[in-house]
Amino acid sequence: MEITMTDPAGFPFPDKGEVAVFHGKLYRTRPAVGLWPSVELLPEPGCPAPEGLAPREAADGSVGYPVAPERLEAWYAVRWTFRWRGELFDCAAAAPATLTGDYLGSDEPFAKAHLKRRGIRYRGVFPRGEVTDLEEHREDLLQPLHALVRRLAEVDHFRPKAYAVYRGRTYPAAAEADASGLIALTTGHDRPEGLVADPRDPSGEHFLAAPEQLDAWYRTHWTFRWKGGPFDAVGTVDGWIKGVYTGGSWGFADNFQLTDESAPGYTRYTVRAGLKGVTDLEQHRTDLLADQ
């Protein structure tokens, strides 16, 4: 399925970011903090919520819809480039009459003559009629992730998980109740008596429980320190532990060159660290029934 991204004014969508296709519809995405490798779908204003997904509110009040990558038809990072006076630019913003671009060339006299300096880069705003070679670039994120999951036996290490105990037996479970207040348990071939099969699950391995039916329902997650800074662990990548920085120092993120995985209105810095460089690695357990 070929999809052309456009902004609300009908122009090519310029934002650098991640895009996913779910049930044939295109969504912008952001990382689902604490639910790696899931992502959150972000419907455009006025568009319906993704069918079958429960909403999740972020700290800034915005709402996303977490979904596991295996349920996506496509997932990729998108960016646009264009040329102005023959020089190459990375598209940073769009308006009906103009495009804003960060200069990717190396002609210093050209940059100083025509562009404004922004940190270590040069940027310009150009009439659309003067822009040529507007081109979309996509980086597939779905297949590399599937390959990683198949390759790494330790992919689930240090990843946040939720469990529910029903009649003395522990099952992997959803970390949040659905819109009707029920909790999905992953039971495999087990068919627990007293629970209802999840009609949204074609595999038949998920059953739904009300909170009052459970002996326990809890979430586990790991935290650690790296270079003295605090992190929430979100999994492992190529044998390294991956963490989301939870401190408030931009200087720390900058000094140690943390990976910027931020989205518009949403700040997130991550690190991939070897376990030998990690301290204070600790597992935490949160009682989810206490809030019911």
PDB file of all heavy atoms in Angstrom, residues 153-177:
ATOM      1  N   ALA A 153      17.619 -13.774  22.218  1.00  0.00           N
ATOM      2  CA  ALA A 153      16.888 -14.539  23.222  1.00  0.00           C
ATOM      3  C   ALA A 153      16.618 -13.687  24.454  1.00  0.00           C
ATOM      4  O   ALA A 153      15.674 -13.930  25.199  1.00  0.00           O
ATOM      5  CB  ALA A 153      17.680 -15.784  23.609  1.00  0.00           C
ATOM      6  N   GLU A 154      17.455 -12.672  24.672  1.00  0.00           N
ATOM      7  CA  GLU A 154      17.320 -11.860  25.876  1.00  0.00           C
ATOM      8  C   GLU A 154      16.508 -10.597  25.639  1.00  0.00           C
ATOM      9  O   GLU A 154      16.562  -9.671  26.434  1.00  0.00           O
ATOM     10  CB  GLU A 154      18.707 -11.471  26.398  1.00  0.00           C
ATOM     11  CG  GLU A 154      19.452 -10.430  25.590  1.00  0.00           C
ATOM     12  CD  GLU A 154      20.268 -11.000  24.452  1.00  0.00           C
ATOM     13  OE1 GLU A 154      19.980 -12.152  24.050  1.00  0.00           O
ATOM     14  OE2 GLU A 154      21.171 -10.320  23.958  1.00  0.00           O
ATOM     15  N   VAL A 155      15.717 -10.547  24.552  1.00  0.00           N
ATOM     16  CA  VAL A 155      15.033  -9.308  24.206  1.00  0.00           C
ATOM     17  C   VAL A 155      14.090  -8.824  25.302  1.00  0.00           C
ATOM     18  O   VAL A 155      13.862  -7.637  25.451  1.00  0.00           O
ATOM     19  CB  VAL A 155      14.291  -9.458  22.871  1.00  0.00           C
ATOM     20  CG1 VAL A 155      13.078 -10.365  23.010  1.00  0.00           C
ATOM     21  CG2 VAL A 155      13.871  -8.104  22.327  1.00  0.00           C
ATOM     22  N   ASP A 156      13.545  -9.742  26.126  1.00  0.00           N
ATOM     23  CA  ASP A 156      12.598  -9.339  27.152  1.00  0.00           C
ATOM     24  C   ASP A 156      13.267  -8.943  28.471  1.00  0.00           C
ATOM     25  O   ASP A 156      12.592  -8.497  29.386  1.00  0.00           O
ATOM     26  CB  ASP A 156      11.596 -10.467  27.424  1.00  0.00           C
ATOM     27  CG  ASP A 156      10.359 -10.342  26.559  1.00  0.00           C
ATOM     28  OD1 ASP A 156      10.198  -9.287  25.930  1.00  0.00           O
ATOM     29  OD2 ASP A 156       9.578 -11.294  26.508  1.00  0.00           O
ATOM     30  N   HIS A 157      14.574  -9.129  28.574  1.00  0.00           N
ATOM     31  CA  HIS A 157      15.233  -8.778  29.821  1.00  0.00           C
ATOM     32  C   HIS A 157      15.053  -7.296  30.134  1.00  0.00           C
ATOM     33  O   HIS A 157      15.226  -6.441  29.275  1.00  0.00           O
ATOM     34  CB  HIS A 157      16.727  -9.092  29.738  1.00  0.00           C
ATOM     35  CG  HIS A 157      17.025 -10.558  29.868  1.00  0.00           C
ATOM     36  ND1 HIS A 157      18.292 -11.061  29.927  1.00  0.00           N
ATOM     37  CD2 HIS A 157      16.206 -11.637  29.952  1.00  0.00           C
ATOM     38  CE1 HIS A 157      18.269 -12.373  30.034  1.00  0.00           C
ATOM     39  NE2 HIS A 157      17.001 -12.743  30.049  1.00  0.00           N
ATOM     40  N   PHE A 158      14.689  -7.006  31.365  1.00  0.00           N
ATOM     41  CA  PHE A 158      14.552  -5.638  31.880  1.00  0.00           C
ATOM     42  C   PHE A 158      13.403  -4.867  31.227  1.00  0.00           C
ATOM     43  O   PHE A 158      13.293  -3.660  31.407  1.00  0.00           O
ATOM     44  CB  PHE A 158      15.860  -4.854  31.729  1.00  0.00           C
ATOM     45  CG  PHE A 158      17.055  -5.602  32.245  1.00  0.00           C
ATOM     46  CD1 PHE A 158      18.075  -5.968  31.394  1.00  0.00           C
ATOM     47  CD2 PHE A 158      17.136  -5.964  33.578  1.00  0.00           C
ATOM     48  CE1 PHE A 158      19.178  -6.687  31.853  1.00  0.00           C
ATOM     49  CE2 PHE A 158      18.228  -6.681  34.051  1.00  0.00           C
ATOM     50  CZ  PHE A 158      19.238  -7.038  33.185  1.00  0.00           C
ATOM     51  N   ARG A 159      12.565  -5.532  30.483  1.00  0.00           N
ATOM     52  CA  ARG A 159      11.423  -4.865  29.876  1.00  0.00           C
ATOM     53  C   ARG A 159      10.277  -4.810  30.884  1.00  0.00           C
ATOM     54  O   ARG A 159       9.998  -5.804  31.562  1.00  0.00           O
ATOM     55  CB  ARG A 159      10.982  -5.639  28.633  1.00  0.00           C
ATOM     56  CG  ARG A 159       9.715  -5.112  27.973  1.00  0.00           C
ATOM     57  CD  ARG A 159       9.384  -5.983  26.771  1.00  0.00           C
ATOM     58  NE  ARG A 159       8.085  -5.657  26.207  1.00  0.00           N
ATOM     59  CZ  ARG A 159       7.537  -6.304  25.183  1.00  0.00           C
ATOM     60  NH1 ARG A 159       8.184  -7.305  24.627  1.00  0.00           N
ATOM     61  NH2 ARG A 159       6.355  -5.963  24.726  1.00  0.00           N
ATOM     62  N   PRO A 160       9.585  -3.668  31.016  1.00  0.00           N
ATOM     63  CA  PRO A 160       8.428  -3.612  31.920  1.00  0.00           C
ATOM     64  C   PRO A 160       7.377  -4.643  31.522  1.00  0.00           C
ATOM     65  O   PRO A 160       7.104  -4.846  30.337  1.00  0.00           O
ATOM     66  CB  PRO A 160       7.898  -2.186  31.728  1.00  0.00           C
ATOM     67  CG  PRO A 160       9.064  -1.414  31.212  1.00  0.00           C
ATOM     68  CD  PRO A 160       9.848  -2.377  30.369  1.00  0.00           C
ATOM     69  N   LYS A 161       6.822  -5.306  32.521  1.00  0.00           N
ATOM     70  CA  LYS A 161       5.829  -6.345  32.266  1.00  0.00           C
ATOM     71  C   LYS A 161       4.716  -6.245  33.306  1.00  0.00           C
ATOM     72  O   LYS A 161       4.914  -5.706  34.397  1.00  0.00           O
ATOM     73  CB  LYS A 161       6.468  -7.741  32.340  1.00  0.00           C
ATOM     74  CG  LYS A 161       7.627  -7.961  31.382  1.00  0.00           C
ATOM     75  CD  LYS A 161       8.294  -9.300  31.645  1.00  0.00           C
ATOM     76  CE  LYS A 161       9.562  -9.456  30.818  1.00  0.00           C
ATOM     77  NZ  LYS A 161      10.266 -10.713  31.124  1.00  0.00           N
ATOM     78  N   ALA A 162       3.569  -6.773  32.958  1.00  0.00           N
ATOM     79  CA  ALA A 162       2.444  -6.825  33.899  1.00  0.00           C
ATOM     80  C   ALA A 162       1.969  -8.267  34.014  1.00  0.00           C
ATOM     81  O   ALA A 162       2.017  -9.041  33.037  1.00  0.00           O
ATOM     82  CB  ALA A 162       1.306  -5.924  33.445  1.00  0.00           C
ATOM     83  N   TYR A 163       1.510  -8.624  35.213  1.00  0.00           N
ATOM     84  CA  TYR A 163       1.047  -9.983  35.478  1.00  0.00           C
ATOM     85  C   TYR A 163      -0.251  -9.924  36.283  1.00  0.00           C
ATOM     86  O   TYR A 163      -0.506  -8.969  37.023  1.00  0.00           O
ATOM     87  CB  TYR A 163       2.083 -10.772  36.276  1.00  0.00           C
ATOM     88  CG  TYR A 163       3.411 -10.934  35.581  1.00  0.00           C
ATOM     89  CD1 TYR A 163       4.449 -10.025  35.810  1.00  0.00           C
ATOM     90  CD2 TYR A 163       3.639 -11.980  34.698  1.00  0.00           C
ATOM     91  CE1 TYR A 163       5.674 -10.164  35.176  1.00  0.00           C
ATOM     92  CE2 TYR A 163       4.857 -12.138  34.059  1.00  0.00           C
ATOM     93  CZ  TYR A 163       5.865 -11.220  34.296  1.00  0.00           C
ATOM     94  OH  TYR A 163       7.073 -11.359  33.657  1.00  0.00           O
ATOM     95  N   ALA A 164      -1.042 -10.966  36.117  1.00  0.00           N
ATOM     96  CA  ALA A 164      -2.252 -11.110  36.921  1.00  0.00           C
ATOM     97  C   ALA A 164      -2.276 -12.523  37.496  1.00  0.00           C
ATOM     98  O   ALA A 164      -1.873 -13.482  36.826  1.00  0.00           O
ATOM     99  CB  ALA A 164      -3.499 -10.873  36.070  1.00  0.00           C
ATOM    100  N   VAL A 165      -2.745 -12.626  38.741  1.00  0.00           N
ATOM    101  CA  VAL A 165      -2.868 -13.929  39.397  1.00  0.00           C
ATOM    102  C   VAL A 165      -4.348 -14.258  39.499  1.00  0.00           C
ATOM    103  O   VAL A 165      -5.120 -13.512  40.125  1.00  0.00           O
ATOM    104  CB  VAL A 165      -2.218 -13.919  40.794  1.00  0.00           C
ATOM    105  CG1 VAL A 165      -2.333 -15.299  41.437  1.00  0.00           C
ATOM    106  CG2 VAL A 165      -0.759 -13.491  40.697  1.00  0.00           C
ATOM    107  N   TYR A 166      -4.743 -15.361  38.872  1.00  0.00           N
ATOM    108  CA  TYR A 166      -6.144 -15.790  38.874  1.00  0.00           C
ATOM    109  C   TYR A 166      -6.208 -17.221  39.393  1.00  0.00           C
ATOM    110  O   TYR A 166      -5.586 -18.130  38.830  1.00  0.00           O
ATOM    111  CB  TYR A 166      -6.719 -15.714  37.457  1.00  0.00           C
ATOM    112  CG  TYR A 166      -8.154 -16.208  37.341  1.00  0.00           C
ATOM    113  CD1 TYR A 166      -9.206 -15.475  37.884  1.00  0.00           C
ATOM    114  CD2 TYR A 166      -8.436 -17.406  36.690  1.00  0.00           C
ATOM    115  CE1 TYR A 166     -10.505 -15.920  37.786  1.00  0.00           C
ATOM    116  CE2 TYR A 166      -9.734 -17.865  36.577  1.00  0.00           C
ATOM    117  CZ  TYR A 166     -10.774 -17.118  37.126  1.00  0.00           C
ATOM    118  OH  TYR A 166     -12.071 -17.567  37.023  1.00  0.00           O
ATOM    119  N   ARG A 167      -6.930 -17.386  40.499  1.00  0.00           N
ATOM    120  CA  ARG A 167      -7.071 -18.695  41.146  1.00  0.00           C
ATOM    121  C   ARG A 167      -5.719 -19.354  41.371  1.00  0.00           C
ATOM    122  O   ARG A 167      -5.506 -20.532  41.104  1.00  0.00           O
ATOM    123  CB  ARG A 167      -7.988 -19.601  40.326  1.00  0.00           C
ATOM    124  CG  ARG A 167      -9.432 -19.082  40.262  1.00  0.00           C
ATOM    125  CD  ARG A 167     -10.363 -20.054  39.566  1.00  0.00           C
ATOM    126  NE  ARG A 167     -11.741 -19.545  39.585  1.00  0.00           N
ATOM    127  CZ  ARG A 167     -12.780 -20.182  39.043  1.00  0.00           C
ATOM    128  NH1 ARG A 167     -12.592 -21.364  38.435  1.00  0.00           N
ATOM    129  NH2 ARG A 167     -13.998 -19.658  39.101  1.00  0.00           N
ATOM    130  N   GLY A 168      -4.779 -18.530  41.845  1.00  0.00           N
ATOM    131  CA  GLY A 168      -3.470 -19.028  42.223  1.00  0.00           C
ATOM    132  C   GLY A 168      -2.480 -19.200  41.100  1.00  0.00           C
ATOM    133  O   GLY A 168      -1.319 -19.546  41.343  1.00  0.00           O
ATOM    134  N   ARG A 169      -2.878 -18.922  39.865  1.00  0.00           N
ATOM    135  CA  ARG A 169      -1.976 -19.087  38.732  1.00  0.00           C
ATOM    136  C   ARG A 169      -1.636 -17.722  38.140  1.00  0.00           C
ATOM    137  O   ARG A 169      -2.523 -16.862  38.002  1.00  0.00           O
ATOM    138  CB  ARG A 169      -2.597 -19.982  37.670  1.00  0.00           C
ATOM    139  CG  ARG A 169      -1.657 -20.240  36.490  1.00  0.00           C
ATOM    140  CD  ARG A 169      -2.090 -21.410  35.662  1.00  0.00           C
ATOM    141  NE  ARG A 169      -1.177 -21.643  34.562  1.00  0.00           N
ATOM    142  CZ  ARG A 169      -1.279 -22.636  33.690  1.00  0.00           C
ATOM    143  NH1 ARG A 169      -2.272 -23.507  33.804  1.00  0.00           N
ATOM    144  NH2 ARG A 169      -0.400 -22.775  32.717  1.00  0.00           N
ATOM    145  N   THR A 170      -0.376 -17.518  37.797  1.00  0.00           N
ATOM    146  CA  THR A 170       0.097 -16.228  37.294  1.00  0.00           C
ATOM    147  C   THR A 170       0.147 -16.237  35.778  1.00  0.00           C
ATOM    148  O   THR A 170       0.680 -17.166  35.161  1.00  0.00           O
ATOM    149  CB  THR A 170       1.493 -15.911  37.852  1.00  0.00           C
ATOM    150  OG1 THR A 170       1.427 -15.900  39.287  1.00  0.00           O
ATOM    151  CG2 THR A 170       1.979 -14.556  37.354  1.00  0.00           C
ATOM    152  N   TYR A 171      -0.410 -15.167  35.171  1.00  0.00           N
ATOM    153  CA  TYR A 171      -0.427 -15.027  33.720  1.00  0.00           C
ATOM    154  C   TYR A 171       0.146 -13.657  33.327  1.00  0.00           C
ATOM    155  O   TYR A 171      -0.073 -12.669  34.041  1.00  0.00           O
ATOM    156  CB  TYR A 171      -1.864 -15.095  33.175  1.00  0.00           C
ATOM    157  CG  TYR A 171      -2.601 -16.375  33.455  1.00  0.00           C
ATOM    158  CD1 TYR A 171      -3.444 -16.484  34.563  1.00  0.00           C
ATOM    159  CD2 TYR A 171      -2.483 -17.478  32.607  1.00  0.00           C
ATOM    160  CE1 TYR A 171      -4.141 -17.650  34.814  1.00  0.00           C
ATOM    161  CE2 TYR A 171      -3.180 -18.650  32.849  1.00  0.00           C
ATOM    162  CZ  TYR A 171      -4.005 -18.732  33.961  1.00  0.00           C
ATOM    163  OH  TYR A 171      -4.700 -19.894  34.209  1.00  0.00           O
ATOM    164  N   PRO A 172       0.829 -13.572  32.192  1.00  0.00           N
ATOM    165  CA  PRO A 172       1.118 -12.241  31.640  1.00  0.00           C
ATOM    166  C   PRO A 172      -0.194 -11.514  31.388  1.00  0.00           C
ATOM    167  O   PRO A 172      -1.189 -12.128  30.967  1.00  0.00           O
ATOM    168  CB  PRO A 172       1.849 -12.555  30.329  1.00  0.00           C
ATOM    169  CG  PRO A 172       2.380 -13.937  30.496  1.00  0.00           C
ATOM    170  CD  PRO A 172       1.376 -14.660  31.350  1.00  0.00           C
ATOM    171  N   ALA A 173      -0.218 -10.214  31.636  1.00  0.00           N
ATOM    172  CA  ALA A 173      -1.475  -9.470  31.549  1.00  0.00           C
ATOM    173  C   ALA A 173      -1.238  -8.088  30.978  1.00  0.00           C
ATOM    174  O   ALA A 173      -0.104  -7.593  30.914  1.00  0.00           O
ATOM    175  CB  ALA A 173      -2.121  -9.358  32.929  1.00  0.00           C
ATOM    176  N   ALA A 174      -2.332  -7.449  30.569  1.00  0.00           N
ATOM    177  CA  ALA A 174      -2.265  -6.053  30.132  1.00  0.00           C
ATOM    178  C   ALA A 174      -1.963  -5.165  31.328  1.00  0.00           C
ATOM    179  O   ALA A 174      -2.374  -5.457  32.456  1.00  0.00           O
ATOM    180  CB  ALA A 174      -3.580  -5.650  29.483  1.00  0.00           C
ATOM    181  N   ALA A 175      -1.253  -4.072  31.085  1.00  0.00           N
ATOM    182  CA  ALA A 175      -0.908  -3.148  32.168  1.00  0.00           C
ATOM    183  C   ALA A 175      -2.037  -2.178  32.467  1.00  0.00           C
ATOM    184  O   ALA A 175      -1.990  -1.455  33.461  1.00  0.00           O
ATOM    185  CB  ALA A 175       0.358  -2.382  31.820  1.00  0.00           C
ATOM    186  N   GLU A 176      -3.064  -2.141  31.597  1.00  0.00           N
ATOM    187  CA  GLU A 176      -4.200  -1.259  31.795  1.00  0.00           C
ATOM    188  C   GLU A 176      -5.478  -2.007  31.455  1.00  0.00           C
ATOM    189  O   GLU A 176      -5.482  -2.888  30.579  1.00  0.00           O
ATOM    190  CB  GLU A 176      -4.087  -0.011  30.916  1.00  0.00           C
ATOM    191  CG  GLU A 176      -2.897   0.873  31.248  1.00  0.00           C
ATOM    192  CD  GLU A 176      -2.826   2.105  30.373  1.00  0.00           C
ATOM    193  OE1 GLU A 176      -3.643   2.185  29.425  1.00  0.00           O
ATOM    194  OE2 GLU A 176      -1.967   2.960  30.614  1.00  0.00           O
ATOM    195  N   ALA A 177      -6.560  -1.660  32.148  1.00  0.00           N
ATOM    196  CA  ALA A 177      -7.859  -2.226  31.804  1.00  0.00           C
ATOM    197  C   ALA A 177      -8.367  -1.610  30.513  1.00  0.00           C
ATOM    198  O   ALA A 177      -7.967  -0.500  30.133  1.00  0.00           O
ATOM    199  CB  ALA A 177      -8.851  -1.976  32.943  1.00  0.00           C
TER     200      ALA A 177
END
